[in-house]
Amino acid sequence: MFPHLFAEYERLGADCILLSMCSADPRHSLMARAHAATNCYWISLSSPAIANGRNPSGLIGPDGDVLAGCPPCLPGMVVQTIDRGDPRFTIPLHHARPWRAHAVAGGISV
């Protein structure tokens, strides 16, 4: 995957990225979780049922945890509410993301 694109989405203020993949490599799901946690936004991951045995579709939270997912190798749909006020996302959304934006803008000196 292209890390600079995920960083640009965060810089532009995206709350959720829709990511489609057709890969049997489990590292791709792991990278999607890492991008969600690193950039503090949700990632909706979709993959075809016939190819999702190792990368099932689902919703990843801004902390990198899978919040909801489809069963592997079966068609399905995930419906989940994205709640910026959910207390489990306080650190990624209200502390880490603003701090990183401030740091990137040059607001932190050593």
Side-chain angles (χ1 to χ4, degrees):
M1 291 197 248
F2 303 94
H4 61 287
L5 292 177
F6 289 89
E8 180 68 5
Y9 298 144
E10 189 271 333
R11 189 190 67 75
L12 292 171
D15 284 323
C16 185
I17 305 302
L18 308 176
L19 177 62
S20 295
M21 75 166 62
C22 185
S23 171
D25 188 338
R27 290 176 289 193
H28 290 152
S29 290
L30 183 60
M31 288 188 326
R33 291 180 65 185
H35 284 304
T38 299
N39 297 295
C40 303
Y41 49 53
W42 287 264
I43 291 184
S44 173
L45 181 62
S46 75
S47 61
I50 61 169
N52 77 2
R54 299 179 99 185
N55 294 316
S57 300
L59 182 66
I60 303 166
D63 57 356
D65 286 343
V66 176
L67 304 176
C70 292
C73 300
L74 295 174
M77 179 177 15
V78 170
V79 177
Q80 184 80 19
T81 300
I82 292 176
D83 181 4
R84 292 184 56 77
D86 188 324
R88 68 184 151 171
F89 304 132
T90 298
I91 290 175
L93 295 179
H94 304 294
H95 298 294
R97 191 169 180 177
W99 180 88
R100 187 174 48 254
H102 182 67
V104 167
I108 297 176
S109 58
V110 286

